[in-house]
Amino acid sequence: MNFWDRYRKKLKKLSRKETPPKIDNSLDHKLDTNIDKLKKELGESSDLVVRHFELGEEFCVAAAVVYMSGLVDEKKVNNFVAESLKVEDSLKKVPYPQKSMFDIVKSRALSVNKVVVAAEWDKFLLSVLNGETAILVDGSNEAITANTKGGETRDVSEPSTQLVIRGPKVSFTESIGTNVALIRRYIKSPNLRFETLQVGSITKTDVAIMYLKGTANEKVLREVKKRLNKIEVEDIFESGNIEQYIQDNAFTPFPTIYNSERPDAVVGNLLEGRIALIVDGTPFVLVVPAIFIQFFQSPSDYYQNYLIGSFLRLLRIISYIISILTPSLYVALTTFHPQMIPTSLLISLAAQHEGVPFPVVVEVLIMEFTFEIIREAGLRMPRAVGQAVSIVGALVLGQAAVQAGIVSPTTIIVVAFTGIASFATPSYNIAVAPRLLRFLMMILAAAFGLYGVFVALFILIAHLTSLRSFGIPYLSPFAPFILSDLKDTLIRQPLWSLVLRPRLINQQNVKRQERGKKPSPPEKHEDN
Amino acid sequence: MRRVVSGLFVLFGTTVLLTGCWDHNELEEVALVMGMGIDKTEDDLYKVSFQIVNPAQVSGGDMAGDTGEGTSVTTYIETGETLFETTRKISSQVPRNLSFSHMVVLILGEELARDDSLYEIMDFTERYYGFRPTTLVLLAREGQANSILSILNPMERIPAMKIEETLQKTTEAWGENPERNINDVVQSLSTKNKNLTLSGVSLVGDKDEGQRADKNKEAVPGSYVEISGMGLFKEGRLEGWLDDREARGIAWVLNEIRRTVLTIKCEKNKELIAAEVRYSKTKLTASVDEGKPEMTINVQGEGPLEEAACPMDLTDPKVIDQINEKFESAIKQEVTKAVKIAQEQKNDVLGFGETISRSHPEEWKSMKDNWDETFSEMDVHVEAEFFIRKTGLRTNPLILDKK
């Protein structure tokens, strides 16, 4: 206790010290002062480009164009800022010097789409660091910033996660502008709103909140904003960082925030009334609130026949359960309840286990652990070597382990089956949860048999029921049970029957379409 | 929150204490007992044989090593005053823990069945947690249970399973032998009339020869085990055996025929017609007239004609009716004979007493003390209905084309 008290006091002291000293937050009238200050603040950084000009013919006024090379589109700067400042006629014959020069530059001279006036030093500095071009005119204590953002970005490409056979082959990129545009392209509605804010005291990462006004739940929206504003951290690199700061319950292996790099998945969720968070610098867009079953929905469910879509979705859920339960059930049944295994199977299991030096639990633990290592190693390896690792791991190691009599073939089957089943989940971040839980279940199964497995399952379900995502129960619509929302959960009913939006997610614009739009063959006419 | 968690822990903790037979046992430490044979020694001790699987010899695949080298099962024999004693004493011979949960047959020696031991045995099999109530019970006819249990078979590698499956198949397809498990036997021993029927299993050929693994290389086995006959028990004691049609007659009355084959002769000729009974149902109706009980047995059956060697026009419905009648009288004959035998032995294995006690509880009270006599003298009417559903893939017999 004493230690903690001291630690806390120390922390308090530290936080007191860190109150920033007051600095002058305004631009100077003199151009040179501003330029010098900028250079000094950026530490004479070599990627800062300052270009001096003389404006006007009768009254020469000094001006400068300031930008960070690499962040700006150099072509834009040359063509639309620097060039137009030179060419613009009105500048040449300015009747009054200096003061009006700034206004003319602002309103006439620039042919860039977005021009903003920055009066504060902070704003000016940030826009320069953000890839904008600032124009400073001598004698004016304001700066004009022109949007010339550019530089190297990645092209829109096929998604690397959440692959589908049928459906758009577009994924988000690292650029927030592109991502917003990708969503806008789907929803041509004035109700699609997006608000940007910056998170991270050093990285100043742009985070866009996107939602469909009138459909999204206002309460959730307020909560999202509140939580985003509460983040006080220096750096945000990825939406995963944001996710960890805004989730409801941090102590859980299950994700309570959905993410996707597929625009169609995000758009579908926006239309259901959810809210998307787009973070600059990552193709993974967050969607809140998220419920458990949502992680088993793949965009392709909606693109194909509903019967097949429903079957595949059930298959995914079953394989998820398999990936949690199989090894522990195997351990429990073979060591505690052999009477539950059919006789001939039991004999064959016993035959395989003859000569294996370890108990079944140890065997399974060894193989599970090996499998996890192979999986992780295969992921980290260079692509060319990764193949070799998985072949060596899966085939050679498994085969050799069986032949050496270290593990029994059934164990290999169980572990491999579990591993494959865990890949069937479309969402990676919920698919990893069983990898952790499996070990816990196995140990309980080894200690208490089926009893242990079911206690673990009971706790797991209790835990899932206790989870919330922005106030929405995680297991809804099963717990709480909402009959009308079940239409698009374990199975997906035909699109024309999904008349209402999920009730918990959205309360205002509930109706999605008219009833009775089931397609049917043309009616027979007499005159045909 | 903390209180909830600790509450849950207490809850889960107590349930651990509540669980029944539940223990950790590695697969390689378990000896699976597939069959158990019980005999009596001359000193009136139990002689129990346990048939234990050698898993590696049974299951195929690469890992099992060379199958066919050793025997698929080993039978260990132990004697003791009580049965439970033997299951523990056997540990001096078997290097593993016995597990009875996969036991398929329990074979009782004929000698044993002829005295009162059935009660003691069935008490143990029901009381001891290791047994499944679904284990089949059979009688070793004219022999010792242990010798029957140890005859190897090429098709089913485990003798006990061979016996179990043979019994199941024959009950299903032929119907002479009843399929009774531990639960059935205990049930009938604890009802009012303690009469029951059990299937017999007997050894054909030489015992020593049948125990060797290399005999599995013979195409026509010299010694084998077959299901034979039906043992009739009276008050828990084996009284006698019935075979063939007589045994089937009992099965008709007990409504235990699932499928069987009926054969009749055509008029005058020697040629035969056979039909398979695919569905059958027997109803017992009791009536009491001035203290005298009467029983009506109504047997219904139907099925396709499967073999026809008579020159008869099977497209004619009248002919079919005639054949139906013949089948009916065949059934009647079988049932009547079986009833007569039971009455002569004064052994109500047919469950007439049970039927009467249910339908006429008042009258039963006066009857039950002298039931054996009453049973042997009572009137029994047998009715039979048979219906040929179809004539198989052919209509008229091929023999008609001869002329």
Side-chain angles (χ1 to χ4, degrees):
Chain A
M1 272 302 167
N2 219 351
F3 170 78
W4 281 111
D5 285 345
R6 254 184 285 159
Y7 181 68
R8 262 182 217 142
K9 262 181 202 166
K10 212 174 171 188
L11 268 181
K12 258 184 199 169
K13 255 188 211 165
L14 271 175
S15 58
R16 246 179 244 142
K17 264 182 200 165
E18 267 182 17
T19 39
K22 276 208 166 176
I23 40 161
D24 187 20
N25 195 16
S26 58
L27 282 126
D28 201 74
H29 280 282
K30 280 192 124 179
L31 176 67
D32 289 343
T33 328
N34 283 331
I35 298 286
D36 285 347
K37 191 177 174 190
L38 183 65
K39 277 185 176 164
K40 211 176 121 199
E41 279 208 12
L42 292 180
E44 304 282 343
S45 181
S46 52
D47 59 349
L48 175 72
V49 179
V50 181
R51 217 180 141 210
H52 289 277
F53 285 95
E54 297 265 301
L55 291 176
E57 285 176 346
E58 292 172 36
F59 307 97
C60 281
V61 177
V65 169
V66 182
Y67 62 89
M68 304 295 286
S69 70
L71 294 185
V72 296
D73 188 346
E74 300 263 359
K75 249 188 211 161
K76 263 193 202 167
V77 177
N78 289 342
N79 293 345
F80 305 122
V81 181
E83 191 67 31
S84 54
L85 283 176
K86 276 186 194 163
V87 176
E88 179 60 39
D89 282 342
S90 55
L91 280 174
K92 289 177 182 160
K93 18 193 152 113
V94 177
Y96 309 106
Q98 294 193 338
K99 235 187 174 178
S100 51
M101 192 66 92
F102 181 83
D103 293 326
I104 290 168
V105 169
K106 190 180 94 191
S107 51
R108 291 203 185 172
L110 295 171
S111 46
V112 184
N113 49 8
K114 194 181 164 194
V115 172
V116 177
V117 173
E120 295 95 38
W121 178 260
D122 274 3
K123 221 171 146 193
F124 159 69
L125 186 61
L126 186 62
S127 55
V128 170
L129 289 176
N130 220 347
E132 285 167 31
T133 303
I135 300 128
L136 294 164
V137 181
D138 194 27
S140 165
N141 64 343
E142 286 175 322
I144 302 167
T145 59
N147 184 9
T148 53
K149 275 186 202 169
E152 293 304 312
T153 50
R154 194 165 61 89
D155 287 338
V156 171
S157 61
E158 273 194 49
S160 56
T161 61
Q162 290 185 306
L163 299 176
V164 295
I165 305 261
R166 182 169 175 186
K169 305 222 180 284
V170 187
S171 81
F172 288 122
T173 69
E174 280 77 9
S175 153
I176 190 168
T178 316
N179 294 352
V180 169
L182 281 173
I183 293 176
R184 274 248 192 252
R185 245 175 247 174
Y186 274 98
I187 307 179
K188 293 160 195 95
S189 159
N191 285 335
L192 180 68
R193 299 293 159 84
F194 93 103
E195 292 165 26
T196 315
L197 45 93
Q198 279 159 345
V199 186
S201 59
I202 291 183
T203 58
K204 305 273 187 204
T205 311
D206 283 332
V207 176
I209 308 172
M210 222 165 179
Y211 60 96
L212 209 57
K213 196 168 172 56
T215 306
N217 192 332
E218 295 286 338
K219 248 200 243 163
V220 176
L221 186 63
R222 270 200 302 277
E223 185 65 29
V224 169
K225 284 181 193 165
K226 204 176 100 191
R227 290 190 195 177
L228 279 176
N229 286 327
K230 245 174 78 181
I231 301 177
E232 267 184 46
V233 70
E234 293 182 335
D235 49 342
I236 294 290
F237 300 120
E238 219 271 343
S239 51
N241 300 29
I242 300 262
E243 185 178 338
Q244 287 171 54
Y245 279 105
I246 62 171
Q247 63 191 352
D248 289 50
N249 185 353
F251 190 71
T252 173
F254 294 95
T256 49
I257 291 172
Y258 183 77
N259 73 60
S260 176
E261 60 167 347
R262 297 185 60 88
D264 53 339
V266 172
V267 164
N269 279 309
L270 283 175
L271 287 170
E272 281 193 343
R274 292 194 174 84
I275 294 155
L277 297 177
I278 308 164
V279 179
D280 196 24
T282 177
F284 292 95
V285 171
L286 302 181
V287 175
V288 293
I291 56 173
F292 184 67
I293 201 72
Q294 189 183 350
F295 292 89
F296 297 92
Q297 298 169 340
S298 164
S300 62
D301 289 355
Y302 303 92
Y303 302 145
Q304 59 194 342
N305 186 326
Y306 68 96
L307 292 173
I308 289 153
S310 300
F311 166 69
L312 293 179
R313 195 178 280 175
L314 267 179
L315 196 73
R316 278 179 226 134
I317 293 161
I318 291 168
S319 66
Y320 193 69
I321 296 169
I322 286 173
S323 73
I324 296 181
L325 278 182
T326 323
S328 48
L329 280 184
Y330 172 61
V331 170
L333 287 184
T334 49
T335 52
F336 284 83
H337 319 279
Q339 62 271 25
M340 290 178 74
I341 306 173
T343 309
S344 24
L345 177 61
L346 181 65
I347 292 175
S348 126
L349 286 180
Q352 289 169 14
H353 214 260
E354 214 109 306
V356 175
F358 305 112
V360 179
V361 208
V362 178
E363 231 186 299
V364 179
L365 280 176
I366 291 175
M367 281 324 288
E368 279 289 347
F369 199 66
T370 315
F371 182 76
E372 290 299 326
I373 292 173
I374 293 170
R375 207 169 170 180
E376 192 61 18
L379 215 63
R380 306 289 157 227
M381 283 286 179
R383 204 160 281 180
V385 193
Q387 290 263 330
V389 167
S390 52
I391 289 168
V392 168
L395 297 175
V396 182
L397 200 69
Q399 183 73 14
V402 168
Q403 271 170 358
I406 296 172
V407 291
S408 62
T410 329
T411 308
I412 302 271
I413 295 172
V414 166
V415 172
F417 184 50
T418 315
I420 290 167
S422 69
F423 287 119
T425 317
S427 193
Y428 174 75
N429 51 347
I430 203 159
V432 290
R435 286 167 71 175
L436 199 68
L437 296 173
R438 258 203 311 264
F439 286 97
L440 202 81
M441 303 276 273
M442 270 184 269
I443 289 162
L444 275 171
F448 303 106
L450 270 187
Y451 171 74
V453 175
F454 281 90
V455 165
L457 210 58
F458 183 78
I459 294 175
L460 186 67
I461 289 170
H463 171 68
L464 281 173
T465 327
S466 78
L467 286 181
R468 298 282 181 276
S469 174
F470 286 80
I472 306 291
Y474 196 47
L475 277 193
S476 66
F478 306 109
F481 187 74
I482 299 168
L483 188 66
S484 61
D485 284 9
L486 287 180
K487 285 181 175 178
D488 184 20
T489 48
L490 297 179
I491 55 162
R492 178 186 76 77
Q493 288 195 4
L495 289 178
W496 65 84
S497 76
L498 304 172
V499 174
L500 303 179
R501 293 190 166 88
R503 201 197 297 169
L504 266 185
I505 310 293
N506 134 298
Q507 277 103 358
Q508 13 184 355
N509 182 10
V510 180
K511 203 165 178 187
R512 180 144 50 179
Q513 59 182 336
E514 291 302 319
R515 272 175 212 284
K517 294 293 179 192
K518 184 183 172 186
S520 57
E523 283 167 32
K524 270 184 191 164
H525 290 297
E526 299 269 320
D527 50 47
N528 261 3
Chain B
M1 187 64 196
R2 183 160 291 176
R3 194 179 293 169
V4 172
V5 169
S6 53
L8 278 179
F9 264 106
V10 171
L11 221 80
F12 293 146
T14 47
T15 41
V16 168
L17 302 173
L18 292 174
T19 49
C21 28
W22 168 84
D23 193 17
H24 170 102
N25 228 334
E26 281 301 325
L27 271 185
E28 59 263 33
E29 288 164 15
V30 176
L32 294 174
V33 178
M34 297 306 299
M36 198 169 131
I38 307 177
D39 293 304
K40 245 187 181 166
T41 62
E42 284 157 12
D43 332 333
D44 211 29
L45 292 175
Y46 283 114
K47 182 171 143 201
V48 185
S49 36
F50 301 92
Q51 182 164 94
I52 291 164
V53 195
N54 303 332
Q57 297 298 333
V58 177
S59 93
D62 292 344
M63 303 319 301
D66 279 347
T67 51
E69 286 273 315
T71 54
S72 47
V73 292
T74 313
T75 306
Y76 294 91
I77 298 174
E78 186 60 76
T79 53
E81 281 178 52
T82 59
L83 291 167
F84 184 57
E85 190 185 306
T86 61
T87 66
R88 292 295 183 260
K89 228 165 131 186
I90 195 81
S91 61
S92 61
Q93 298 177 42
V94 185
R96 298 178 181 188
N97 302 328
L98 296 194
S99 159
F100 293 93
S101 56
H102 284 271
M103 194 170 100
V104 289
V105 288
L106 172 68
I107 299 178
L108 310 175
E110 183 169 349
E111 261 176 70
L112 190 85
R114 286 198 186 273
D115 57 37
D116 262 336
S117 319
L118 195 59
Y119 287 97
E120 297 162 28
I121 295 168
M122 297 324 286
D123 180 83
F124 169 65
T125 54
E126 196 173 47
R127 191 178 300 278
Y128 181 57
Y129 67 83
F131 291 107
R132 275 187 194 222
T134 52
T135 304
L136 297 180
V137 184
L138 289 104
L139 289 175
R141 192 175 184 184
E142 288 152 19
Q144 295 257 306
N146 77 63
S147 56
I148 281 180
L149 208 50
S150 54
I151 302 301
L152 295 172
N153 180 277
M155 218 189 281
E156 202 64 65
R157 303 190 70 92
I158 300 165
M161 282 183 106
K162 192 253 172 183
I163 296 170
E164 180 216 16
E165 299 202 345
T166 319
L167 178 60
Q168 283 171 345
K169 293 287 156 353
T170 183
T171 312
E172 171 94 24
W174 187 239
E176 259 174 37
N177 305 90
E179 194 187 313
R180 302 252 185 273
N181 57 34
I182 289 181
N183 191 36
D184 296 333
V185 177
V186 172
Q187 290 284 319
S188 28
L189 287 183
S190 50
T191 50
K192 286 169 208 142
N193 87 57
K194 293 160 175 46
N195 309 322
L196 77 140
T197 58
L198 279 182
S199 284
V201 50
S202 65
L203 167 63
V204 179
D206 185 45
K207 177 196 159 198
D208 293 333
E209 195 196 313
Q211 290 177 351
R212 288 214 309 277
D214 61 355
K215 80 136 214 175
N216 281 347
K217 287 169 185 158
E218 295 168 17
V220 182
S223 54
Y224 56 92
V225 159
E226 67 168 10
I227 307 293
S228 84
M230 175 194 268
L232 298 187
F233 280 74
K234 190 178 178 187
E235 305 196 338
R237 199 179 293 161
L238 180 64
E239 291 279 299
W241 294 93
L242 288 185
D243 282 296
D244 300 337
R245 302 290 153 98
E246 294 162 7
R248 198 165 70 180
I250 303 275
W252 281 115
V253 181
L254 292 174
N255 193 17
E256 276 174 354
I257 295 284
R258 274 179 259 174
R259 257 161 51 190
T260 189
V261 177
L262 286 173
T263 309
I264 51 158
K265 275 184 188 150
C266 313
E267 302 166 90
K268 297 168 273 180
N269 310 321
K270 281 184 204 157
E271 286 104 347
L272 297 166
I273 294 183
E276 180 161 50
V277 179
R278 287 269 173 88
Y279 160 85
S280 99
K281 194 178 172 184
T282 307
K283 260 194 213 157
L284 298 181
T285 327
S287 62
V288 180
D289 189 23
E290 294 171 11
K292 277 182 76 180
E294 266 179 37
M295 185 62 72
T296 310
I297 303 169
N298 182 302
V299 184
Q300 285 176 352
E302 69 169 63
L305 212 60
E306 297 286 17
E307 201 175 321
C310 297
M312 290 172 122
D313 182 15
L314 293 179
T315 52
D316 184 1
K318 278 179 197 157
V319 175
I320 297 286
D321 280 347
Q322 286 169 10
I323 300 174
N324 277 345
E325 270 167 37
K326 288 197 173 177
F327 280 124
E328 283 163 9
S329 66
I331 296 173
K332 241 186 245 178
Q333 219 176 330
E334 265 176 36
V335 172
T336 316
K337 198 167 180 202
V339 171
K340 200 179 266 175
I341 292 171
Q343 283 184 321
E344 276 165 12
Q345 294 188 357
K346 298 183 182 175
N347 185 1
D348 179 20
V349 284
L350 305 171
F352 285 2
E354 196 81 22
T355 315
I356 294 176
S357 74
R358 249 179 242 153
S359 60
H360 299 83
E362 288 300 317
E363 288 90 336
W364 170 248
K365 272 178 200 161
S366 60
M367 253 179 263
K368 67 178 175 187
D369 293 331
N370 198 20
W371 175 243
D372 282 350
E373 293 302 319
T374 325
F375 170 70
S376 67
E377 285 159 12
M378 74 190 277
D379 287 336
V380 179
H381 309 286
V382 182
E383 296 164 2
E385 289 165 37
F386 192 79
F387 180 67
I388 293 174
R389 223 357 114 192
K390 51 193 173 188
T391 58
L393 299 183
R394 261 186 86 85
T395 44
N396 271 332
L398 195 58
I399 206 155
L400 278 182
D401 298 344
K402 206 170 120 188
K403 289 156 194 174

